[in-house]
Amino acid sequence: MAERRTLDLDALAVSDRFRLFNFTRRDDHVTYLWILRAVDRLREVHQVQVGADEVAATLRELSAAHAEAPEIPAQGLRHRLDELAADGVVHRFDDASRAGTLARYRNRQSVYQFSELGYRAYHAVENLLGARAEDVNLSRLVFSDVLEDLGALAEANRTGRVEDVYRRLSRLDAVMEDMGRRSAQFHVTLGEILRSTEASSEVFLRHKNALLVHMSDFMAELDRYLPRLDRAVHEVEATGLSTLLSRAADVDERLFMDRTERLEDWSRRWWAVRAWFASESGAPTRAAELGRATRSAVSGVVALLRQITEAQRGGVNRSTQLRHLAAWVFDTPDDGAAHALMGAAFNTRSARHLGAAHEDGDEFAPTDSWHDAAGVEVSVTLFRSDRSPTHGVPKPVRRDTGARSELRRRQTEDREAERASATRLVQEGAHHRVLDDSDTKVLLRLVTKALESRSVVAGRMSSATGDDAGTLVKLVPSDRGSTVRTSRGSLHLPGFRLELASRARGARSTRRSTRGADSTRGDQSTPTRKGD
């Protein structure tokens, strides 16, 4: 379940949570760890918010009880607490009520307390430091407890005892989590034992009987209870799974989750229990997978035991072989014979050696040994296949059809909107209404083209025209001028009258905006645009 929740976090959330472990990567990480231990010790006596003086006093108590606890000066403690606050492990608050004098009031009086995620990060580090290989085991007694809880859960759901449903389901969830953790730790530790037996074969031989008996008993209990657990899971579901989960969500007292979230959480927990014991469509259960892994581990332990026994019976193992080889090399008459013996023992003569010219040929003398000279980069292709690397054929150009289709669709929509705006301008005119952004954009483009094409004849400004996509605008000299109202302000054209027409119909469809010109009579200032 924890793995499933972590998969829902994005990269930013993962980075923020990894930042909580920054104190473990600092040079004085042990000092930060003892500071957090002091804050945790104060929290245990229900002192949630603590100051630097209180942390320093607790550190002195820890130093008296533990010789490895560091002594931190008062001036460096506040800085380290601020660093922990910057990482998000603790929260920092300013508490002026702790200032007993005016001088202390003027200085910053900060108190600190664990953040929720910071407390979890601190406990994760403590659990890692407190882990012991001797504690791992496969609990074979848990199957009878799980079977009893499943039977009691079915009976409680059948009789409507809501609180018993919640208790039994919570206990099953805790047992499944503990069982998964134990099995993972056991097989990881067993793998380390199998890899390190040459250095600690005596330890392995001393504990081999207990290890084999432990795994054999676990497999026997698993094979005996697995069919009964499968039937018990289906009996629970037969009493009404939706009712079961709904009752658990109703009794759940987590205040910061609404009922829908609690219902989804309990549904995930039940499916985790079901995945352990209930078979479905021939797919193996988690318990069956654990059984196969344990059988494989038993085979590995037996094979390793046979290897160690044969090596001890013959008196020859890897360590004795290396010691004999070292003695032979030491007794050789010269260096050439020693190199030949080592080459034959480790098969170094069959290695393929590659060479290439160094960028600075004069940096090393030709007489220098390859052991003293700097190495050069050799391509992987030359190393693996003894062929010089090539650029290869050009890769095909990737065509993003979806992006191009989306871009083409947006361009089509923009063109249709401009055509509709041009049609409205011809049919309804530019006056006696407020133009929206689309109509204003088309009109400004037409007016710009018309102004660029105007000319001066006999000292007077002549009329000007401009067209775009079949829409024609004409600026006719007029003493009255004209004004166009838009959603963003008014556009004044002093000295000109604005006429719009469709180029396909020519001058017959020209809409003269004389009434709009009358509304701006006498306005002879320069062209301006101001807000309404």
Side-chain angles (χ1 to χ4, degrees):
M1 291 181 59
E3 179 183 359
R4 191 173 305 163
R5 289 194 296 265
T6 58
L7 294 178
D8 297 334
L9 297 177
D10 55 8
L12 184 59
V14 172
S15 300
D16 289 341
R17 298 200 176 188
F18 278 172
R19 188 166 54 90
L20 297 171
F21 296 93
N22 283 348
F23 72 93
T24 62
R25 298 194 296 268
R26 294 195 174 96
D27 295 336
D28 51 348
H29 53 274
V30 177
T31 302
Y32 283 95
L33 177 62
W34 280 97
I35 292 175
L36 292 177
R37 287 172 175 173
V39 177
D40 185 38
R41 186 166 184 174
L42 291 170
R43 185 198 60 82
E44 291 176 354
V45 295
H46 306 289
Q47 191 170 350
V48 179
Q49 295 184 354
V50 296
D53 298 337
E54 297 164 340
V55 175
T58 307
L59 283 173
R60 285 191 292 270
E61 295 177 1
L62 292 174
S63 299
H66 303 278
E68 61 274 12
E71 295 183 1
I72 304 176
Q75 59 272 19
L77 180 58
R78 186 181 297 276
H79 172 70
R80 289 176 173 86
L81 287 171
D82 290 340
E83 290 290 336
L84 292 172
D87 294 337
V89 181
V90 298
H91 292 312
R92 182 179 65 195
F93 306 96
D94 291 333
D95 187 7
S97 63
R98 292 173 174 260
T101 62
L102 182 60
R104 295 188 63 183
Y105 177 78
R106 291 174 178 174
N107 296 326
R108 179 172 55 85
Q109 298 298 322
S110 297
V111 292
Y112 305 87
Q113 76 175 51
F114 269 116
S115 63
E116 174 63 25
L117 295 178
Y119 186 69
R120 291 174 180 264
Y122 161 70
H123 259 279
V125 174
E126 287 286 41
N127 291 335
L128 176 63
L129 296 177
R132 298 293 183 269
E134 296 81 4
D135 298 336
V136 298
N137 62 86
L138 291 172
S139 179
R140 62 184 178 86
L141 304 177
V142 71
F143 297 119
S144 59
D145 296 337
V146 172
L147 183 61
E148 180 184 354
D149 288 337
L150 288 174
L153 179 62
E155 181 64 23
N157 193 38
R158 189 181 298 111
T159 58
R161 299 196 305 271
V162 180
E163 294 183 355
D164 288 343
V165 169
Y166 175 76
R167 292 192 189 97
R168 294 293 180 174
L169 199 56
S170 300
R171 183 177 174 181
L172 280 172
D173 177 66
V175 169
M176 291 298 99
E177 185 176 356
D178 181 71
M179 186 175 178
R181 179 183 56 82
R182 285 174 179 267
S183 61
Q185 289 179 350
F186 179 81
H187 285 89
V188 169
T189 305
L190 184 60
E192 292 181 356
I193 293 175
L194 297 180
R195 285 194 302 269
S196 59
T197 48
E198 288 194 6
S200 58
S201 58
E202 294 81 5
V203 177
F204 176 75
L205 292 176
R206 186 167 61 251
H207 298 289
K208 62 179 177 57
N209 293 329
L211 180 63
L212 291 175
V213 170
H214 179 73
M215 289 190 292
S216 300
D217 292 345
F218 176 79
M219 288 303 306
E221 289 293 300
L222 179 61
D223 294 338
R224 187 162 67 96
Y225 276 97
L226 191 56
R228 302 164 63 183
L229 291 170
D230 187 6
R231 291 193 299 268
V233 169
H234 288 90
E235 289 176 1
V236 171
E237 293 182 343
T239 61
L241 182 58
S242 60
T243 304
L244 175 74
L245 299 177
S246 178
R247 287 171 175 173
D250 291 336
V251 182
D252 195 346
E253 297 179 347
R254 285 178 288 184
L255 303 177
F256 301 105
M257 297 177 62
D258 56 21
R259 188 181 185 280
T260 303
E261 293 176 342
R262 295 196 300 268
L263 185 61
E264 293 177 355
D265 183 60
W266 282 111
S267 177
R268 287 194 299 267
R269 297 187 184 193
W270 171 251
W271 284 107
V273 174
R274 194 181 194 281
W276 266 97
F277 303 114
S279 59
E280 190 70 27
S281 303
T285 61
R286 294 284 300 276
E289 294 176 355
L290 177 59
R292 285 200 297 267
T294 307
R295 288 189 180 91
S296 177
V298 170
S299 301
V301 170
V302 172
L304 183 59
L305 177 61
R306 185 184 302 111
Q307 178 183 352
I308 294 176
T309 305
E310 291 177 354
Q312 289 187 347
R313 183 184 301 114
V316 178
N317 54 18
R318 185 67 172 171
S319 300
T320 57
Q321 290 176 357
L322 291 176
R323 283 195 293 268
H324 281 289
L325 178 61
W328 293 344
V329 172
F330 182 78
D331 294 337
T332 52
D334 52 20
D335 291 343
H339 287 298
L341 181 58
M342 293 294 293
F346 295 102
N347 195 23
T348 58
R349 298 298 181 184
S350 62
R352 294 187 299 111
H353 297 280
L354 298 176
H358 196 270
E359 295 181 357
D360 189 359
D362 299 331
E363 184 176 354
F364 302 98
T367 57
D368 290 344
S369 172
W370 64 270
H371 186 272
D372 299 329
V376 294
E377 295 183 359
V378 178
S379 66
V380 178
T381 305
L382 180 62
F383 177 76
R384 291 180 177 176
S385 60
D386 200 18
R387 292 194 302 268
S388 299
T390 59
H391 295 290
V393 297
K395 295 183 179 180
V397 178
R398 294 184 178 180
R399 299 181 179 274
D400 195 345
T401 307
R404 296 180 63 182
S405 301
E406 179 65 19
L407 181 60
R408 190 178 296 110
R409 184 188 63 80
R410 293 179 182 178
Q411 291 175 347
T412 302
E413 292 179 354
D414 293 341
R415 286 196 295 268
E416 291 295 334
E418 291 182 359
R419 291 194 191 99
S421 298
T423 303
R424 285 196 302 270
L425 287 173
V426 172
Q427 294 177 353
E428 302 177 9
H431 302 288
H432 307 294
R433 68 187 184 99
V434 179
L435 304 183
D436 58 12
D437 292 341
S438 180
D439 294 349
T440 305
K441 180 180 178 181
V442 175
L443 179 63
L444 289 177
R445 186 166 63 245
L446 292 171
V447 171
T448 301
K449 291 185 176 182
L451 291 175
E452 291 176 350
S453 64
R454 61 184 178 177
S455 60
V456 180
V457 180
R460 298 187 60 185
M461 192 73 67
S462 62
S463 60
T465 59
D467 66 280
D468 181 39
T471 305
L472 180 68
V473 64
K474 187 174 183 181
L475 298 177
V476 181
S478 174
D479 296 337
R480 302 172 183 174
S482 61
T483 299
V484 178
R485 292 183 299 163
T486 68
S487 60
R488 298 181 179 272
S490 298
L491 177 65
H492 298 287
L493 296 172
F496 289 97
R497 185 177 70 250
L498 182 65
E499 298 179 357
L500 292 167
S502 176
R503 191 172 182 82
R505 291 181 293 173
R508 293 182 180 180
S509 61
T510 302
R511 178 179 295 273
R512 301 184 179 276
S513 304
T514 55
R515 288 177 294 178
D518 294 340
S519 64
T520 58
R521 185 185 303 272
D523 189 359
Q524 298 295 330
S525 61
T526 57
T528 58
R529 184 176 181 178
K530 65 180 182 178
D532 292 338

